[in-house]
mmCIF file of all heavy atoms in Angstrom:
data_model
loop_
_atom_site.group_PDB
_atom_site.id
_atom_site.type_symbol
_atom_site.label_atom_id
_atom_site.label_comp_id
_atom_site.label_asym_id
_atom_site.label_seq_id
_atom_site.Cartn_x
_atom_site.Cartn_y
_atom_site.Cartn_z
ATOM 1 N N PHE A 1 -51.269 10.918 -11.959
ATOM 2 C CA PHE A 1 -52.126 9.743 -12.178
ATOM 3 C C PHE A 1 -53.543 9.928 -11.617
ATOM 4 O O PHE A 1 -54.023 9.115 -10.838
ATOM 5 C CB PHE A 1 -51.484 8.482 -11.572
ATOM 6 C CG PHE A 1 -50.138 8.144 -12.143
ATOM 7 C CD1 PHE A 1 -48.967 8.550 -11.514
ATOM 8 C CD2 PHE A 1 -50.048 7.424 -13.326
ATOM 9 C CE1 PHE A 1 -47.726 8.243 -12.053
ATOM 10 C CE2 PHE A 1 -48.802 7.100 -13.870
ATOM 11 C CZ PHE A 1 -47.641 7.515 -13.237
ATOM 12 N N PRO A 2 -54.226 10.981 -12.015
ATOM 13 C CA PRO A 2 -55.610 11.160 -11.544
ATOM 14 C C PRO A 2 -56.532 10.110 -12.159
ATOM 15 O O PRO A 2 -56.217 9.505 -13.193
ATOM 16 C CB PRO A 2 -55.965 12.562 -12.052
ATOM 17 C CG PRO A 2 -55.132 12.718 -13.294
ATOM 18 C CD PRO A 2 -53.831 12.029 -12.984
ATOM 19 N N GLU A 3 -57.692 9.900 -11.529
ATOM 20 C CA GLU A 3 -58.684 8.986 -12.089
ATOM 21 C C GLU A 3 -59.218 9.493 -13.419
ATOM 22 O O GLU A 3 -59.463 8.722 -14.349
ATOM 23 C CB GLU A 3 -59.865 8.827 -11.124
ATOM 24 C CG GLU A 3 -59.534 8.165 -9.819
ATOM 25 C CD GLU A 3 -60.751 8.132 -8.908
ATOM 26 O OE1 GLU A 3 -61.576 7.213 -9.072
ATOM 27 O OE2 GLU A 3 -60.868 9.019 -8.043
ATOM 28 N N MET A 4 -59.451 10.784 -13.479
ATOM 29 C CA MET A 4 -60.003 11.435 -14.670
ATOM 30 C C MET A 4 -59.241 12.724 -14.934
ATOM 31 O O MET A 4 -58.613 13.274 -14.017
ATOM 32 C CB MET A 4 -61.479 11.809 -14.468
ATOM 33 C CG MET A 4 -62.431 10.697 -14.225
ATOM 34 S SD MET A 4 -64.143 11.350 -14.116
ATOM 35 C CE MET A 4 -64.485 11.669 -15.858
ATOM 36 N N ALA A 5 -59.323 13.201 -16.152
ATOM 37 C CA ALA A 5 -58.833 14.535 -16.495
ATOM 38 C C ALA A 5 -59.594 14.982 -17.743
ATOM 39 O O ALA A 5 -60.184 14.165 -18.454
ATOM 40 C CB ALA A 5 -57.333 14.528 -16.762
ATOM 41 N N THR A 6 -59.588 16.268 -17.997
ATOM 42 C CA THR A 6 -60.312 16.779 -19.154
ATOM 43 C C THR A 6 -59.477 16.659 -20.420
ATOM 44 O O THR A 6 -58.251 16.776 -20.404
ATOM 45 C CB THR A 6 -60.717 18.247 -18.948
ATOM 46 O OG1 THR A 6 -59.547 19.032 -18.664
ATOM 47 C CG2 THR A 6 -61.711 18.378 -17.814
ATOM 48 N N LEU A 7 -60.167 16.430 -21.533
ATOM 49 C CA LEU A 7 -59.545 16.355 -22.851
ATOM 50 C C LEU A 7 -60.361 17.242 -23.785
ATOM 51 O O LEU A 7 -61.490 16.914 -24.151
ATOM 52 C CB LEU A 7 -59.545 14.912 -23.363
ATOM 53 C CG LEU A 7 -59.053 14.709 -24.801
ATOM 54 C CD1 LEU A 7 -57.583 15.097 -24.936
ATOM 55 C CD2 LEU A 7 -59.279 13.270 -25.252
ATOM 56 N N ASP A 8 -59.793 18.393 -24.144
ATOM 57 C CA ASP A 8 -60.492 19.334 -25.020
ATOM 58 C C ASP A 8 -60.301 18.911 -26.466
ATOM 59 O O ASP A 8 -59.176 18.725 -26.921
ATOM 60 C CB ASP A 8 -59.957 20.748 -24.792
ATOM 61 C CG ASP A 8 -60.282 21.250 -23.400
ATOM 62 O OD1 ASP A 8 -61.424 21.680 -23.200
ATOM 63 O OD2 ASP A 8 -59.409 21.182 -22.521
ATOM 64 N N CYS A 9 -61.417 18.768 -27.191
ATOM 65 C CA CYS A 9 -61.371 18.178 -28.532
ATOM 66 C C CYS A 9 -61.561 19.188 -29.654
ATOM 67 O O CYS A 9 -62.101 18.862 -30.706
ATOM 68 C CB CYS A 9 -62.376 17.033 -28.630
ATOM 69 S SG CYS A 9 -61.660 15.479 -28.024
ATOM 70 N N GLY A 10 -61.093 20.412 -29.432
ATOM 71 C CA GLY A 10 -61.132 21.402 -30.495
ATOM 72 C C GLY A 10 -60.774 22.782 -29.993
ATOM 73 O O GLY A 10 -60.660 23.012 -28.787
ATOM 74 N N SER A 11 -60.592 23.693 -30.924
ATOM 75 C CA SER A 11 -60.240 25.077 -30.598
ATOM 76 C C SER A 11 -61.494 25.937 -30.534
ATOM 77 O O SER A 11 -62.500 25.651 -31.182
ATOM 78 C CB SER A 11 -59.280 25.642 -31.650
ATOM 79 O OG SER A 11 -58.098 24.867 -31.719
ATOM 80 N N VAL A 12 -61.404 27.015 -29.736
ATOM 81 C CA VAL A 12 -62.547 27.908 -29.549
ATOM 82 C C VAL A 12 -62.065 29.353 -29.574
ATOM 83 O O VAL A 12 -61.055 29.688 -28.941
ATOM 84 C CB VAL A 12 -63.262 27.653 -28.199
ATOM 85 C CG1 VAL A 12 -64.551 28.470 -28.121
ATOM 86 C CG2 VAL A 12 -63.547 26.183 -27.979
ATOM 87 N N ASN A 13 -62.795 30.217 -30.299
ATOM 88 C CA ASN A 13 -62.555 31.659 -30.242
ATOM 89 C C ASN A 13 -63.323 32.221 -29.052
ATOM 90 O O ASN A 13 -64.542 32.406 -29.130
ATOM 91 C CB ASN A 13 -63.020 32.335 -31.532
ATOM 92 C CG ASN A 13 -62.173 31.953 -32.723
ATOM 93 O OD1 ASN A 13 -60.972 31.720 -32.596
ATOM 94 N ND2 ASN A 13 -62.784 31.881 -33.892
ATOM 95 N N PHE A 14 -62.628 32.496 -27.954
ATOM 96 C CA PHE A 14 -63.292 32.972 -26.747
ATOM 97 C C PHE A 14 -63.699 34.438 -26.831
ATOM 98 O O PHE A 14 -64.454 34.924 -26.014
ATOM 99 C CB PHE A 14 -62.396 32.761 -25.529
ATOM 100 C CG PHE A 14 -62.413 31.351 -24.989
ATOM 101 C CD1 PHE A 14 -61.340 30.875 -24.262
ATOM 102 C CD2 PHE A 14 -63.492 30.510 -25.186
ATOM 103 C CE1 PHE A 14 -61.348 29.591 -23.739
ATOM 104 C CE2 PHE A 14 -63.516 29.218 -24.678
ATOM 105 C CZ PHE A 14 -62.426 28.757 -23.952
ATOM 106 N N GLY A 15 -63.174 35.165 -27.799
ATOM 107 C CA GLY A 15 -63.526 36.583 -27.936
ATOM 108 C C GLY A 15 -62.281 37.424 -28.096
ATOM 109 O O GLY A 15 -61.219 37.101 -27.535
ATOM 110 N N GLY A 16 -62.395 38.518 -28.849
ATOM 111 C CA GLY A 16 -61.237 39.365 -29.091
ATOM 112 C C GLY A 16 -60.129 38.564 -29.748
ATOM 113 O O GLY A 16 -60.343 37.910 -30.764
ATOM 114 N N ASP A 17 -58.945 38.607 -29.155
ATOM 115 C CA ASP A 17 -57.814 37.829 -29.677
ATOM 116 C C ASP A 17 -57.582 36.530 -28.917
ATOM 117 O O ASP A 17 -56.593 35.843 -29.155
ATOM 118 C CB ASP A 17 -56.527 38.674 -29.611
ATOM 119 C CG ASP A 17 -56.567 39.865 -30.559
ATOM 120 O OD1 ASP A 17 -57.113 39.705 -31.674
ATOM 121 O OD2 ASP A 17 -56.067 40.942 -30.188
ATOM 122 N N GLU A 18 -58.489 36.172 -27.999
ATOM 123 C CA GLU A 18 -58.311 34.964 -27.192
ATOM 124 C C GLU A 18 -58.773 33.729 -27.962
ATOM 125 O O GLU A 18 -59.962 33.584 -28.268
ATOM 126 C CB GLU A 18 -59.093 35.059 -25.875
ATOM 127 C CG GLU A 18 -58.362 35.801 -24.782
ATOM 128 C CD GLU A 18 -58.798 35.356 -23.385
ATOM 129 O OE1 GLU A 18 -59.787 34.602 -23.267
ATOM 130 O OE2 GLU A 18 -58.136 35.754 -22.421
ATOM 131 N N VAL A 19 -57.835 32.843 -28.244
ATOM 132 C CA VAL A 19 -58.141 31.580 -28.909
ATOM 133 C C VAL A 19 -57.646 30.444 -28.017
ATOM 134 O O VAL A 19 -56.466 30.380 -27.671
ATOM 135 C CB VAL A 19 -57.466 31.479 -30.291
ATOM 136 C CG1 VAL A 19 -57.799 30.131 -30.941
ATOM 137 C CG2 VAL A 19 -57.896 32.625 -31.195
ATOM 138 N N PHE A 20 -58.571 29.557 -27.632
ATOM 139 C CA PHE A 20 -58.210 28.361 -26.885
ATOM 140 C C PHE A 20 -57.843 27.315 -27.923
ATOM 141 O O PHE A 20 -58.705 26.733 -28.572
ATOM 142 C CB PHE A 20 -59.374 27.908 -26.015
ATOM 143 C CG PHE A 20 -59.099 26.674 -25.188
ATOM 144 C CD1 PHE A 20 -57.845 26.453 -24.639
ATOM 145 C CD2 PHE A 20 -60.104 25.752 -24.966
ATOM 146 C CE1 PHE A 20 -57.592 25.324 -23.880
ATOM 147 C CE2 PHE A 20 -59.869 24.623 -24.206
ATOM 148 C CZ PHE A 20 -58.606 24.395 -23.659
ATOM 149 N N LEU A 21 -56.533 27.109 -28.086
ATOM 150 C CA LEU A 21 -56.018 26.352 -29.218
ATOM 151 C C LEU A 21 -55.806 24.881 -28.870
ATOM 152 O O LEU A 21 -55.087 24.540 -27.926
ATOM 153 C CB LEU A 21 -54.692 26.976 -29.679
ATOM 154 C CG LEU A 21 -54.094 26.436 -30.978
ATOM 155 C CD1 LEU A 21 -55.032 26.704 -32.152
ATOM 156 C CD2 LEU A 21 -52.726 27.078 -31.226
ATOM 157 N N ASN A 22 -56.450 24.024 -29.653
ATOM 158 C CA ASN A 22 -56.254 22.574 -29.531
ATOM 159 C C ASN A 22 -56.214 21.992 -30.933
ATOM 160 O O ASN A 22 -57.250 21.690 -31.532
ATOM 161 C CB ASN A 22 -57.398 21.939 -28.728
ATOM 162 C CG ASN A 22 -57.391 22.362 -27.274
ATOM 163 O OD1 ASN A 22 -56.588 21.892 -26.479
ATOM 164 N ND2 ASN A 22 -58.281 23.285 -26.927
ATOM 165 N N THR A 23 -55.006 21.867 -31.492
ATOM 166 C CA THR A 23 -54.858 21.298 -32.819
ATOM 167 C C THR A 23 -55.126 19.797 -32.762
ATOM 168 O O THR A 23 -55.176 19.189 -31.685
ATOM 169 C CB THR A 23 -53.440 21.518 -33.354
ATOM 170 O OG1 THR A 23 -52.522 20.749 -32.554
ATOM 171 C CG2 THR A 23 -53.052 22.997 -33.311
ATOM 172 N N GLU A 24 -55.276 19.187 -33.936
ATOM 173 C CA GLU A 24 -55.472 17.737 -33.974
ATOM 174 C C GLU A 24 -54.307 17.016 -33.305
ATOM 175 O O GLU A 24 -54.502 16.054 -32.542
ATOM 176 C CB GLU A 24 -55.632 17.256 -35.410
ATOM 177 C CG GLU A 24 -55.896 15.760 -35.498
ATOM 178 C CD GLU A 24 -55.994 15.249 -36.921
ATOM 179 O OE1 GLU A 24 -55.496 15.944 -37.841
ATOM 180 O OE2 GLU A 24 -56.553 14.155 -37.109
ATOM 181 N N ASN A 25 -53.081 17.477 -33.550
ATOM 182 C CA ASN A 25 -51.926 16.819 -32.944
ATOM 183 C C ASN A 25 -51.891 17.000 -31.431
ATOM 184 O O ASN A 25 -51.479 16.093 -30.704
ATOM 185 C CB ASN A 25 -50.632 17.328 -33.572
ATOM 186 C CG ASN A 25 -50.408 16.769 -34.967
ATOM 187 O OD1 ASN A 25 -50.984 15.746 -35.334
ATOM 188 N ND2 ASN A 25 -49.589 17.443 -35.760
ATOM 189 N N THR A 26 -52.332 18.165 -30.960
ATOM 190 C CA THR A 26 -52.425 18.381 -29.509
ATOM 191 C C THR A 26 -53.421 17.402 -28.899
ATOM 192 O O THR A 26 -53.135 16.771 -27.876
ATOM 193 C CB THR A 26 -52.866 19.823 -29.212
ATOM 194 O OG1 THR A 26 -51.801 20.720 -29.542
ATOM 195 C CG2 THR A 26 -53.218 20.007 -27.731
ATOM 196 N N ILE A 27 -54.586 17.275 -29.505
ATOM 197 C CA ILE A 27 -55.605 16.373 -28.969
ATOM 198 C C ILE A 27 -55.070 14.937 -28.949
ATOM 199 O O ILE A 27 -55.225 14.217 -27.955
ATOM 200 C CB ILE A 27 -56.898 16.460 -29.803
ATOM 201 C CG1 ILE A 27 -57.454 17.886 -29.780
ATOM 202 C CG2 ILE A 27 -57.947 15.488 -29.259
ATOM 203 C CD1 ILE A 27 -58.500 18.147 -30.857
ATOM 204 N N LYS A 28 -54.415 14.524 -30.015
ATOM 205 C CA LYS A 28 -53.846 13.174 -30.067
ATOM 206 C C LYS A 28 -52.789 12.981 -28.980
ATOM 207 O O LYS A 28 -52.729 11.922 -28.336
ATOM 208 C CB LYS A 28 -53.224 12.916 -31.445
ATOM 209 C CG LYS A 28 -54.233 12.711 -32.563
ATOM 210 C CD LYS A 28 -53.519 12.484 -33.878
ATOM 211 C CE LYS A 28 -54.480 12.156 -35.003
ATOM 212 N NZ LYS A 28 -53.770 11.965 -36.306
ATOM 213 N N GLU A 29 -51.942 13.975 -28.793
ATOM 214 C CA GLU A 29 -50.884 13.876 -27.778
ATOM 215 C C GLU A 29 -51.477 13.714 -26.385
ATOM 216 O O GLU A 29 -51.063 12.842 -25.612
ATOM 217 C CB GLU A 29 -49.999 15.130 -27.834
ATOM 218 C CG GLU A 29 -48.859 15.118 -26.834
ATOM 219 C CD GLU A 29 -48.022 16.382 -26.865
ATOM 220 O OE1 GLU A 29 -48.371 17.321 -27.617
ATOM 221 O OE2 GLU A 29 -47.012 16.440 -26.122
ATOM 222 N N PHE A 30 -52.470 14.545 -26.062
ATOM 223 C CA PHE A 30 -53.091 14.470 -24.743
ATOM 224 C C PHE A 30 -53.836 13.139 -24.570
ATOM 225 O O PHE A 30 -53.745 12.501 -23.519
ATOM 226 C CB PHE A 30 -54.070 15.631 -24.548
ATOM 227 C CG PHE A 30 -53.421 16.949 -24.204
ATOM 228 C CD1 PHE A 30 -52.331 17.421 -24.915
ATOM 229 C CD2 PHE A 30 -53.922 17.737 -23.191
ATOM 230 C CE1 PHE A 30 -51.742 18.638 -24.605
ATOM 231 C CE2 PHE A 30 -53.350 18.965 -22.865
ATOM 232 C CZ PHE A 30 -52.254 19.417 -23.583
ATOM 233 N N ALA A 31 -54.574 12.732 -25.596
ATOM 234 C CA ALA A 31 -55.347 11.502 -25.509
ATOM 235 C C ALA A 31 -54.447 10.283 -25.348
ATOM 236 O O ALA A 31 -54.725 9.389 -24.531
ATOM 237 C CB ALA A 31 -56.225 11.351 -26.751
ATOM 238 N N ALA A 32 -53.377 10.230 -26.111
ATOM 239 C CA ALA A 32 -52.450 9.094 -26.015
ATOM 240 C C ALA A 32 -51.813 9.027 -24.633
ATOM 241 O O ALA A 32 -51.629 7.934 -24.070
ATOM 242 C CB ALA A 32 -51.377 9.209 -27.101
ATOM 243 N N LYS A 33 -51.495 10.182 -24.070
ATOM 244 C CA LYS A 33 -50.920 10.223 -22.720
ATOM 245 C C LYS A 33 -51.907 9.683 -21.697
ATOM 246 O O LYS A 33 -51.538 8.923 -20.792
ATOM 247 C CB LYS A 33 -50.534 11.660 -22.370
ATOM 248 C CG LYS A 33 -49.789 11.828 -21.056
ATOM 249 C CD LYS A 33 -48.352 11.381 -21.181
ATOM 250 C CE LYS A 33 -47.523 11.808 -19.980
ATOM 251 N NZ LYS A 33 -46.124 11.331 -20.083
ATOM 252 N N MET A 34 -53.178 10.042 -21.824
ATOM 253 C CA MET A 34 -54.193 9.565 -20.890
ATOM 254 C C MET A 34 -54.387 8.057 -20.999
ATOM 255 O O MET A 34 -54.497 7.360 -19.987
ATOM 256 C CB MET A 34 -55.510 10.312 -21.129
ATOM 257 C CG MET A 34 -55.453 11.775 -20.729
ATOM 258 S SD MET A 34 -57.042 12.614 -20.973
ATOM 259 C CE MET A 34 -56.521 14.328 -20.815
ATOM 260 N N VAL A 35 -54.406 7.540 -22.230
ATOM 261 C CA VAL A 35 -54.513 6.089 -22.405
ATOM 262 C C VAL A 35 -53.333 5.393 -21.753
ATOM 263 O O VAL A 35 -53.487 4.400 -21.031
ATOM 264 C CB VAL A 35 -54.610 5.728 -23.905
ATOM 265 C CG1 VAL A 35 -54.454 4.213 -24.105
ATOM 266 C CG2 VAL A 35 -55.935 6.187 -24.493
ATOM 267 N N ALA A 36 -52.129 5.903 -21.972
ATOM 268 C CA ALA A 36 -50.916 5.280 -21.425
ATOM 269 C C ALA A 36 -50.911 5.269 -19.902
ATOM 270 O O ALA A 36 -50.403 4.320 -19.284
ATOM 271 C CB ALA A 36 -49.684 6.009 -21.956
ATOM 272 N N LEU A 37 -51.476 6.313 -19.291
ATOM 273 C CA LEU A 37 -51.462 6.435 -17.832
ATOM 274 C C LEU A 37 -52.719 5.880 -17.175
ATOM 275 O O LEU A 37 -52.828 5.890 -15.946
ATOM 276 C CB LEU A 37 -51.286 7.907 -17.436
ATOM 277 C CG LEU A 37 -49.956 8.561 -17.844
ATOM 278 C CD1 LEU A 37 -49.969 10.046 -17.488
ATOM 279 C CD2 LEU A 37 -48.778 7.867 -17.170
ATOM 280 N N GLY A 38 -53.666 5.404 -17.963
ATOM 281 C CA GLY A 38 -54.903 4.877 -17.399
ATOM 282 C C GLY A 38 -55.818 5.938 -16.826
ATOM 283 O O GLY A 38 -56.585 5.679 -15.891
ATOM 284 N N VAL A 39 -55.768 7.144 -17.390
ATOM 285 C CA VAL A 39 -56.607 8.265 -16.944
ATOM 286 C C VAL A 39 -57.826 8.337 -17.861
ATOM 287 O O VAL A 39 -57.680 8.415 -19.082
ATOM 288 C CB VAL A 39 -55.831 9.592 -17.008
ATOM 289 C CG1 VAL A 39 -56.725 10.760 -16.603
ATOM 290 C CG2 VAL A 39 -54.582 9.528 -16.136
ATOM 291 N N LYS A 40 -59.020 8.314 -17.282
ATOM 292 C CA LYS A 40 -60.235 8.410 -18.109
ATOM 293 C C LYS A 40 -60.454 9.860 -18.513
ATOM 294 O O LYS A 40 -60.534 10.745 -17.673
ATOM 295 C CB LYS A 40 -61.470 7.903 -17.365
ATOM 296 C CG LYS A 40 -62.717 7.894 -18.270
ATOM 297 C CD LYS A 40 -63.907 7.273 -17.594
ATOM 298 C CE LYS A 40 -65.129 7.273 -18.501
ATOM 299 N NZ LYS A 40 -65.051 6.295 -19.595
ATOM 300 N N PRO A 41 -60.562 10.131 -19.817
ATOM 301 C CA PRO A 41 -60.814 11.515 -20.235
ATOM 302 C C PRO A 41 -62.280 11.902 -20.105
ATOM 303 O O PRO A 41 -63.172 11.106 -20.406
ATOM 304 C CB PRO A 41 -60.386 11.509 -21.703
ATOM 305 C CG PRO A 41 -60.593 10.109 -22.160
ATOM 306 C CD PRO A 41 -60.352 9.229 -20.963
#
């Protein structure tokens, strides 16, 4: 139950084969959890 937490709103190719993956469903899942817990993203 932190006051704030980060919410990444998309995927990024960091280089080589490294992909920071955030699908639309992942973003929705994280965002809905933060709303439910009262955590500001």
